Amino acid sequence: MIRLTVTPVAREFGAEVGGVDLSLPFDATVLADLIGAMDRYAVCFYRPGRPMPDNGHIALGKALGPIDTNPVFKITGRKKTRVPIELQDVANIDENNDVMKEGSRVILFRRGDRLWHSDMSFHPNRAVYSLLSAHEIPPAGGDTEFCDLRAAYDALPDATKAKIESLVAVHSIWYSRAVAGFPDPTEEELASRPPSRHRLVQVHPGSKRKTLYLASHASHIEGWSEDEGRVLLKELKEFATQGRFVYRHHWQLGDVVIWDNRCTMHRGTPYEDTRYRRDMRRATTREMALSA
Ligand code: OGA
Ligand code: MN
């Protein structure tokens, strides 16, 4: 029987998976192994050596959970994307296949991914797994970092755990964009995605471990003054992103990194994004089969 190989990178966070061609249909044993590895290590990368075709990428995503094809927000002026509707286009390449220019609203938007975040926390129907596939990588920079929110929760002082146990954070894509220097959202943008609310402490379904649920999209704590909430969120983010909780992925062409958004945050790191091409495409599974 063909089994998935799982090689941890360090501790209990991050692993390389392989031994099976994940771009072809695979059996239930492999899927169970993959979900088991995800539940334990939260970030798994697969290194086939060449970019996965979009259809194989989408099929892998769909094997892991429902994919919603409704747009989650609007970026004013953004043209049709280059990829099938099941994927998110997170490249710096425009519809004419050129590197985007400085000042492009889409480039400014993408730079917001350099803040620690969890995908789609700004949506009531959160992202579960993100599967990011590297079709073109820049010659330098552009690594992606991940932090372990279960280990960070475990390491919090008991008094902090008690204080935050039942708090709810409010998340907005337009808040994190403003922090990252994106211009004021247009009416169309604002209306396309109102804020969402999520518990700050959650139980991770696959491992039953407690986890923080945090993102730069979180603007404040419900029922607290804005300032107080922001201070708490900043402290928790700083605590959770200490080096001891972080895995940094250095991309090779074709890598597919899968992460569980329910118990991790991630961020892009800088590269010369108006000079070098970086073509990354993301399949994203969602908590519920139908979006709100
Ligand atoms: C994403 C993301 C960061 C990166 O695709 O969700 O945040 O390094 N990407 O491309
Ligand atoms: Mn992201």
Side-chain angles (χ1 to χ4, degrees):
M1 190 175 26
I2 298 179
R3 298 298 293 260
L4 190 74
T5 58
V6 180
T7 313
V9 291
R11 309 183 316 268
E12 287 287 297
F13 189 61
E16 177 169 358
V17 295
V20 177
D21 188 342
L22 293 177
S23 64
L24 298 174
F26 46 80
D27 64 29
T29 320
V30 170
L31 182 60
D33 286 349
L34 181 57
I35 293 173
M38 288 302 302
D39 284 343
R40 180 156 179 193
Y41 298 106
V43 180
C44 289
F45 66 91
Y46 169 58
R47 183 156 273 176
R50 58 191 144 76
M52 209 178 199
D54 288 340
N55 56 1
H57 183 194
I58 293 166
L60 178 60
K62 285 185 172 169
L64 287 170
I67 286 180
D68 187 355
T69 56
N70 289 316
V72 287
F73 49 69
K74 171 81 188 156
I75 306 173
T76 296
R78 185 182 206 181
K79 307 278 186 339
K80 197 174 139 322
T81 72
R82 308 165 306 130
V83 301
I85 52 168
E86 291 89 349
L87 298 178
Q88 277 77 35
D89 187 357
V90 292
N92 64 335
I93 299 165
D94 67 19
E95 66 283 3
N96 301 318
N97 202 27
D98 295 324
V99 173
M100 291 171 183
K101 297 197 173 43
E102 186 58 59
S104 139
R105 211 167 171 85
V106 180
I107 278 259
L108 293 171
F109 188 93
R110 281 271 76 86
R111 287 182 189 155
D113 287 343
R114 295 182 189 170
L115 301 177
W116 285 104
H117 67 283
S118 166
D119 289 335
M120 295 193 194
S121 74
F122 51 78
H123 199 292
N125 188 9
R126 303 182 300 168
V128 175
Y129 299 121
S130 291
L131 302 86
L132 190 61
S133 172
H135 286 247
E136 287 183 80
I137 51 177
D143 292 352
T144 306
E145 290 189 317
F146 298 89
C147 79
D148 181 350
L149 291 177
R150 290 179 298 188
Y153 178 83
D154 290 344
L156 284 172
D158 287 342
T160 308
K161 288 180 180 166
K163 180 167 93 175
I164 66 175
E165 174 67 25
S166 51
L167 298 179
V168 170
V170 178
H171 297 244
S172 166
I173 183 68
W174 310 117
Y175 175 70
S176 62
R177 296 309 98 164
V179 172
F182 185 70
D184 284 346
T186 62
E187 287 299 318
E188 175 189 47
E189 287 168 340
L190 270 180
S192 72
R193 182 49 51 207
S196 66
R197 45 197 299 284
H198 298 288
R199 298 280 294 252
L200 200 51
V201 178
Q202 309 219 355
V203 175
H204 176 254
S207 60
K208 305 287 182 270
R209 291 178 59 190
K210 277 194 161 181
T211 184
L212 287 167
Y213 184 66
L214 274 180
S216 296
H217 309 309
S219 60
H220 61 285
I221 301 290
E222 224 170 59
W224 284 29
S225 78
E226 208 169 85
D227 286 353
E228 258 187 312
R230 253 162 226 182
V231 170
L232 174 68
L233 290 166
K234 182 166 183 284
E235 281 171 2
L236 291 173
K237 259 186 294 177
E238 279 171 6
F239 183 84
T241 56
Q242 295 173 78
R244 62 183 162 135
F245 301 126
V246 172
Y247 164 66
R248 184 178 180 114
H249 189 76
H250 181 60
W251 293 90
Q252 292 184 14
L253 188 67
D255 283 0
V256 178
V257 181
I258 310 176
W259 64 88
D260 187 334
N261 287 289
R262 299 166 301 181
C263 60
T264 62
M265 284 194 289
H266 60 282
R267 66 170 175 184
T269 66
Y271 69 103
E272 289 186 58
D273 58 1
T274 52
R275 179 169 178 203
Y276 297 122
R277 296 169 68 88
R278 185 171 186 268
D279 184 352
M280 310 293 273
R281 306 174 188 189
R282 200 183 83 205
T284 317
T285 75
R286 306 290 285 280
E287 244 176 348
M288 292 169 279
L290 294 172
S291 73

